[in-house]
Amino acid sequence: MKIMAKLILLVGPLKGILALAVLLGALGALAAAAIPVLGAAALLTAAGIGATPAPPEWTPTVFVGLAFLAGLSRGVFRYGEQTANHYIAFRLLALIREKLFAALRRLCPAKLEGKEKGDLIAVLTSDIELLEVFYAHTLSPAAIALIMAAAVAGLVWICHPLFALIALTAHIALGAALPAVASRFAREGQRRLREENGRFAAFYLDSLRGLPELLQYGGAEARKREMGRRTDMADAARRRLNRLESVTGALAGLLVTAFTLLALVAGCLLYGQGRIAAAAVLPVVLIFSSFGPALALTALGSSLPGVLAAGRRVLAILEEEPETPEVTNGESPDFSGAESRNLSFSYGGEEVLRDISISLEKGVITGITGRSGSGKSTFLKLLMRFWQPPANTVFISGAEIDHINTGRLRELESFMTQETYLFHSTIGENILIGRPGASRADMIAAAKKAALHDFVLSLPEGYDTPVGEMGCTLSSGERQRVGLARAFLHDAPLLLLDEPTSNLDSLNEGVILKALREEKSGRAVALVSHRPSTMGVADTVYLLGNG
Ligand SMILES: Nc1ncnc2c1ncn2[C@@H]1O[C@H](COP(=O)(O)OP(=O)(O)O)[C@@H](O)[C@H]1O
Ligand SMILES: [Mg+2]
């Protein structure tokens, strides 16, 4: 209920269109139910039961008119309802995607580290799509079913309260009780299905990425068999849900028949006792023909748990608190150096850094070296405030890092991470990420410092050469130099370089170290590397031991 309420709140600006969808849907459902009722009324009139008999030639006209009117209104109303519902659904999905992106911008980069990445992608793709079911096929159908139940109960009440009781019971059974029971039984199955599907997708992707290894070492056949086994497991989960859907459908059919019979028996008894007129066949027909909207809800029962679980995951991201909240009302100092004082840090479990005091001064290259896993990258990330350092441990320009506006912090710092991500665009645009809007001359200067320029000139279209998806057409050394060019182009007074030369030959390393030496005046450089040749350029070197 809480999740549904929150999802409904997101409708906000589209309330009017939702109301329109409900109105059109209710009118359409009522029109559909009216066809048999009016037809029966015409028959009664023709047969002279109740009112005065009509002339025989009147009957065909009535039927043609009825069919035309009802069909038209039903068609037009239904079309309008569906259009409005899908408009709402897809507008909302677009809106939620935007909100999710904004939320992730707050939550990252901490959120994208670690193991949650695969799950996150599932939320961003399949979960959002599932919400379409809620907005286009659950929300207004529920309102329409409610209106229909009330309208039908009210109309048949005019004839006799017993009919109203039967109608209400039938609508509650079909539109509320049966879907609630079905959704309870489907919960576990939906969870299993998503889990199996997720696992299968991950396995498939893993196999695809590792295909060269599988071919080389002859593992493809076994992998294929495993894939078949996992397909079967996902299928088993799906089959169970299908069975549940069939059973629910059959039960719904039984209930419709039972309640129609009940209304018929009640009508006969009341007529026999002389309590109602012969025209009382009309309420029975109305009850019989009013089940459409309730049946639409019955069919939703087994998919609802999956939809709500998707909604919960989407909402969880929207509501998640970022590791480091954005600072906007802090200081925006000029750069005069950075410092850590007795900095200790852990990612929740074991301590990664203990009592680190390092000062990064202008005009100085500070080298940080140490074995893999000793916390070098973590130290740089804390200087970026990707993670929250303890109070009074990290300072920029003498101010505690938490008190500096996040926008200013990004201006003051250039961070080259260990893995450079390349966007699916040209190599020039990839460098320009470092400073959007920079001139071409500045971009080329940065590329030269990063020992990238000659390589780019050797490409067929120079800086306009596209790099493939995930930059897979570039070698890791070339990719690294693009990352370095970005950092140089950003031109910040605090330069943080995480293993900038790990994939480079000594020739390119030399070019870069020379550039660094030239760049260091007026800026502070933190240079993380385990290469002694790279450490040679540093003025001071810290060795990080076990944290
Ligand atoms: N996001 C994270 N969550 C939990 N542990 C992490 C995370 N990032 C790094 N670690 C752990 O912190 C330790 C230091 O990592 P890192 O700073 O990357 O070391 P280095 O850069 O010196 O190789 C390692 O043991 C690593 O497994
Ligand atoms: Mg590292």
Side-chain angles (χ1 to χ4, degrees):
M1 282 297 174
K2 214 152 105 193
I3 293 162
M4 278 203 240
K6 283 180 181 171
L7 289 177
I8 290 171
L9 277 184
L10 287 178
V11 175
L14 299 169
K15 274 196 295 276
I17 297 171
L18 182 65
L20 181 71
V22 172
L23 179 73
L24 291 174
L27 285 176
L30 282 169
I35 305 171
V37 177
L38 293 179
L43 268 179
L44 289 176
T45 313
I49 300 172
T52 45
E57 66 275 14
W58 176 79
T59 322
T61 328
V62 167
F63 274 100
V64 170
L66 248 182
F68 179 73
L69 255 182
L72 184 73
S73 59
R74 176 80 174 129
V76 170
F77 288 145
R78 179 121 188 100
Y79 181 81
E81 180 214 342
Q82 287 295 311
T83 309
N85 268 336
H86 283 97
Y87 177 79
I88 296 171
F90 289 111
R91 287 286 321 183
L92 274 179
L93 296 198
L95 205 84
I96 293 174
R97 278 203 188 89
E98 224 171 86
K99 280 185 184 226
L100 272 178
F101 191 72
L104 285 171
R105 232 169 41 173
R106 272 190 295 115
L107 295 171
C108 283
K111 176 81 185 170
L112 271 186
E113 277 193 20
K115 305 127 224 110
E116 290 181 79
K117 218 182 285 187
D119 210 44
L120 199 59
I121 289 170
V123 173
L124 297 180
T125 53
S126 53
D127 280 351
I128 284 208
E129 292 297 326
L130 262 184
L131 287 185
E132 192 261 347
V133 176
F134 181 77
Y135 288 115
H137 306 289
T138 310
L139 203 50
S140 70
I144 293 166
L146 209 65
I147 293 175
M148 190 68 181
V152 168
L155 282 170
V156 297
W157 182 291
I158 298 171
C159 187
H160 198 278
L162 187 58
F163 286 132
L165 186 68
I166 293 172
L168 270 185
T169 318
H171 277 261
I172 290 171
L174 285 170
L178 192 53
V181 173
S183 106
R184 185 154 286 273
F185 277 104
R187 198 172 297 164
E188 179 58 21
Q190 289 280 3
R191 198 186 59 72
R192 279 281 291 280
L193 181 63
R194 179 179 191 268
E195 226 173 72
E196 295 294 350
N197 279 342
R199 253 190 243 140
F200 183 78
F203 182 78
Y204 199 94
L205 206 61
D206 195 35
S207 308
L208 212 58
R209 290 212 175 108
L211 208 48
E213 276 79 5
L214 289 176
L215 290 176
Q216 188 189 341
Y217 298 115
E221 259 319 303
R223 203 78 181 177
K224 203 174 102 188
R225 273 197 304 279
E226 174 66 11
M227 203 168 285
R229 201 181 64 77
R230 287 176 187 238
T231 313
D232 289 345
M233 269 156 69
D235 271 359
R238 212 188 323 271
R239 263 202 304 279
R240 256 205 302 281
L241 280 173
N242 288 349
R243 253 200 315 274
L244 179 68
E245 264 167 42
S246 310
V247 172
T248 315
L251 275 178
L254 274 177
L255 280 176
V256 167
T257 316
F259 280 108
T260 310
L261 278 177
L262 194 62
L264 207 57
V265 169
C268 288
L269 286 179
L270 290 173
Y271 182 69
Q273 295 168 2
R275 294 189 196 204
I276 54 172
V281 71
L282 295 183
V284 179
V285 175
L286 181 57
I287 290 175
F288 172 62
S289 59
S290 71
F291 291 136
L295 284 173
L297 291 187
T298 312
L300 282 177
S302 53
S303 62
L304 199 59
V307 173
L308 289 183
R312 184 170 54 231
R313 286 187 291 268
V314 169
L315 289 168
I317 293 183
L318 291 183
E319 290 165 3
E320 192 169 329
E321 286 300 322
E323 191 63 36
T324 50
E326 176 156 355
V327 180
T328 50
N329 54 356
E331 303 171 37
S332 291
D334 287 331
F335 183 73
S336 64
E339 196 185 353
S340 76
R341 284 184 214 147
N342 306 107
L343 166 64
S344 298
F345 182 76
S346 73
Y347 287 104
E350 212 175 316
E351 202 165 57
V352 174
L353 295 174
R354 190 178 321 127
D355 227 3
I356 306 289
S357 300
I358 293 181
S359 129
L360 305 169
E361 285 157 29
K362 268 187 173 179
V364 175
I365 298 179
T366 307
I368 300 170
T369 188
R371 61 165 184 80
S372 165
S374 57
K376 305 181 296 294
S377 298
T378 303
F379 177 69
L380 296 188
K381 286 173 192 168
L382 287 168
L383 281 173
M384 289 296 292
R385 203 168 158 267
F386 285 178
W387 297 90
Q388 182 65 53
N392 289 315
T393 54
V394 178
F395 301 86
I396 308 279
S397 304
E400 197 176 357
I401 194 162
D402 277 7
H403 298 158
I404 295 176
N405 290 324
T406 307
R408 181 64 183 160
L409 199 62
R410 301 276 177 267
E411 284 169 10
L412 292 180
E413 296 176 307
S414 272
F415 180 31
M416 181 198 166
T417 56
Q418 244 172 311
E419 292 107 28
T420 297
Y421 181 79
L422 293 189
F423 289 89
H424 199 176
S425 58
T426 67
I427 197 160
E429 279 163 6
N430 264 296
I431 298 172
L432 281 171
I433 299 281
R435 177 150 52 95
S439 72
R440 200 172 168 85
D442 284 351
M443 177 185 79
I444 290 173
K448 279 182 179 162
K449 286 177 206 162
L452 189 65
H453 183 64
D454 291 340
F455 163 72
V456 175
L457 288 190
S458 75
L459 295 172
E461 294 168 68
Y463 284 93
D464 298 322
T465 310
V467 298
E469 192 172 359
M470 290 172 158
C472 60
T473 50
L474 297 189
S475 78
S476 48
E478 288 151 4
R479 218 189 332 235
Q480 201 162 30
R481 282 178 281 158
V482 174
L484 203 54
R486 267 182 203 159
F488 280 134
L489 185 61
H490 191 51
D491 199 22
L494 177 56
L495 193 53
L496 308 172
L497 304 175
D498 200 351
E499 312 260 16
T501 57
S502 58
N503 292 315
L504 302 186
D505 53 53
S506 41
L507 191 70
N508 283 320
E509 184 191 19
V511 174
I512 286 162
L513 295 184
K514 182 169 166 284
L516 266 186
R517 222 173 279 130
E518 287 160 6
E519 285 287 298
K520 77 173 183 182
S521 69
R523 72 182 94 224
V525 181
L527 178 60
V528 166
S529 176
H530 56 255
R531 269 172 90 148
S533 52
T534 296
M535 278 299 108
V537 79
D539 300 294
T540 320
V541 175
Y542 289 87
L543 173 67
L544 223 64
N546 249 341

